[in-house]
Amino acid sequence: MKDWVLHYLGTLGAGGLFLGLIIEALGIPFPGGLMTLLAGILVNQGRLDFYHILAAAVLGFNVGATAAYLIGRCVGEPFLLRYGKYLMVTPAKFNQARSWMYRSAPAFIIFGRFVPMVSNLTPYLAGISRLPFVQFLIYNSLFALSWVSFNLGIGIFFGHHWESIFSLIQSRLPLLALGVLVVYLLYLFLKQKALHRT
C-alpha cells in the first residue's frame, strides 16, 4: 500500500491527492489519511510543494463533502438507508449518528469525522437535517484544515518513522476523538438539564 500511494502521489502530485480526498470525503473506504501522511513525506523530500498539497487536500475534502451533503439534502434518508451498506453503515449506526447530529451539529461535523463508522455519515446527515450549507462548509473546512495539517505535519516531521506513527494514529486517535465527543455531548446534556430545573 505504501509503495503504491507513494508512486501515485509522485506521479500525479497535488491533483492525485485532490482526487483521493474527494473519495475519502464521500465516505467511501479509501486510505485518505495514509495518502496525506505520505504526501507529507514527499514534501519533506522536496518532491511536492507544501502549499499546493495543503490547498489541494483541503479543497478536495470540501468538494467531496459538499457532494455528500447535496446527496443527503436532495435525495434524503431513504437513499442512505438503502445504500448505506456500501459506506459500511448499519441502520443502528445511522440512528445513533443522527441523534448526535441533532444535539450538536458543530461537534458532530468536526469531531464525528474522527469516529469510525460515524465519519462516513457526517456530510450526508448534515444534508438530510438541512443544516445551512454555509454553516456546514465552515465546520467541514475547520475539520479538513486541522486533519490535513495534522497528517501532513506527521509526514513532514516524522517521515522516517512513518510505520510506527501511522499505527499509533490509527489505534488511538479515533478513541480520543470519541472521548472528546462524548464529554462534549454530556456537557450539553447537563447544561440543558440545569436550564430545565431553573
Side-chain angles (χ1 to χ4, degrees), residues 76-85 89-92 94-95 98:
E77 185 175 327
F79 172 86
L80 201 56
L81 289 175
R82 183 173 181 181
Y83 297 104
K85 59 185 178 182
V89 172
T90 63
F94 175 81
N95 291 329
R98 181 168 55 183

Side-chain angles (χ1 to χ4, degrees), residues 21-41:
L21 290 192
I22 288 177
I23 298 171
E24 171 81 16
L26 281 167
I28 299 169
F30 194 77
L34 174 62
M35 185 175 286
T36 309
L37 190 150
L38 293 177
I41 293 175

